[in-house]
Structure formats: C-alpha cells, structure tokens
Amino acid sequence: MSASPPPMSDADQDRLLDEAVAAFYSAQVEHAHLMQHLAVTHDLNPVDLRALKFLGAVDDDRTPKELGGYLEMGTGAVTALLDRLTKRGLLDRVRNPDDRRSVRIELSADGFAVVGTLRAAYRRALRQSLPPESTDVFIHFTERVSHAFREASLD
C-alpha cells in the first residue's frame, strides 16, 4: 500500500495558488493581445469584437439589453454599437415575434465569419496546449472557475 503525500501547509498552499494566479494573469494578458490582434485584423475595436463574441456564443438571438448587460454599457452606447455593426454588415436587427416593440440581434453571415476566426484561434491554442485526454478535465475546471468568478462578482 502506498502512503499518501503529507498534507500541504497553508503557506505552501498559498504559494502554489499564487503561482496559479500568476499563470492565469499571463493567460489573460495573452488573451487580451489575441483579442486586440483579431479586432485590428477585422478593422473592429475590441468592444465590437467582444459584442460579436457574445452574440456568437449561443445559437439564440439576443436583445440589446442582454448585450448591454454583458458589456456593461448603457442604452445609448449599445445603440451606437449596434448601428456601427449593422452598417458593417456584421449583424441584423430582427423584430421580436413575441413583442413587436422590441428587437432581437442576430449575427449575419459576415458576423459569423468573424466569430469563426476567433473560435479557430481558440481551437488552435487549445490544440497546442491541451492534451486530448485532459479536455474533459479542462471543461469541468473552466466551468467551475466561471461559476466561482460569477459568485465572486456578486459579493
């Protein structure tokens, strides 16, 4: 029977978590660089790209209010953003069939193409850094971290 490793001291756990935080910060910085690069490549500003990414994250259409909540922007700024992206042909405003006073936002084919380049960049990065046998662990970990961040933002 093999002996289990001795428990880690609080100080050792803190040091290890500090290393994890530093690695996470580094990943965030590189992700920001990727987003900036893709925004410039597609002649967008980073907020425009974040909006497209949000709209392309699920198959359902979104409302301007949902987009504004995600981007933490007011109504006027969201309207200007939607006008800009509509003019570029990246999204369409569609009447809400359930409420004629409201609109839904959907990506156009060109909008999906931009989101596709972002997804391709993510797949490429994950393919380079994530062994296939660890994908399920990564998904589970990412979902748990996402939930923990959401909880922390409510404090």
Side-chain angles (χ1 to χ4, degrees):
M1 179 163 79
S2 65
S4 59
M8 214 184 266
S9 72
D10 287 347
D12 287 340
Q13 286 179 9
D14 285 346
R15 273 192 292 281
L16 192 58
L17 287 174
D18 285 343
E19 288 180 36
V21 167
F24 186 75
Y25 283 168
S26 177
Q28 285 180 305
V29 167
E30 296 309 323
H31 179 259
H33 289 163
L34 171 63
M35 292 293 289
Q36 181 66 34
H37 170 74
L38 290 173
V40 168
T41 298
H42 293 285
D43 195 28
L44 298 167
N45 70 50
V47 173
D48 293 352
L49 185 60
R50 284 184 60 217
L52 295 175
K53 179 178 152 186
F54 174 76
L55 295 170
V58 295
D59 289 335
D60 297 333
D61 297 343
R62 302 291 190 125
T63 65
K65 183 176 180 177
E66 290 169 327
L67 179 61
Y70 171 73
L71 296 173
E72 298 181 342
M73 294 172 68
T75 306
V78 170
T79 299
L81 168 73
L82 293 176
D83 289 346
R84 192 168 56 246
L85 294 176
T86 300
K87 185 176 179 180
R88 290 276 313 271
L90 298 172
L91 60 84
D92 296 306
R93 290 177 171 117
V94 180
R95 285 272 165 228
N96 185 342
D98 300 324
D99 180 358
R100 293 179 41 191
R101 296 167 297 165
S102 69
V103 297
R104 309 282 301 165
I105 310 163
E106 61 183 34
L107 291 176
S108 67
D110 288 345
F112 274 112
V114 172
V115 171
T117 62
L118 179 60
R119 286 184 180 162
Y122 285 164
R123 278 193 301 275
R124 197 169 42 254
L126 290 173
R127 194 172 285 119
Q128 291 174 358
S129 59
L130 181 65
E133 64 274 9
S134 300
T135 303
D136 287 337
V137 172
F138 177 78
I139 292 168
H140 181 70
F141 164 77
T142 305
E143 288 170 346
R144 289 181 61 194
V145 167
S146 177
H147 178 76
F149 285 156
R150 192 174 313 107
E151 291 291 316
S153 72
L154 299 175
D155 291 344

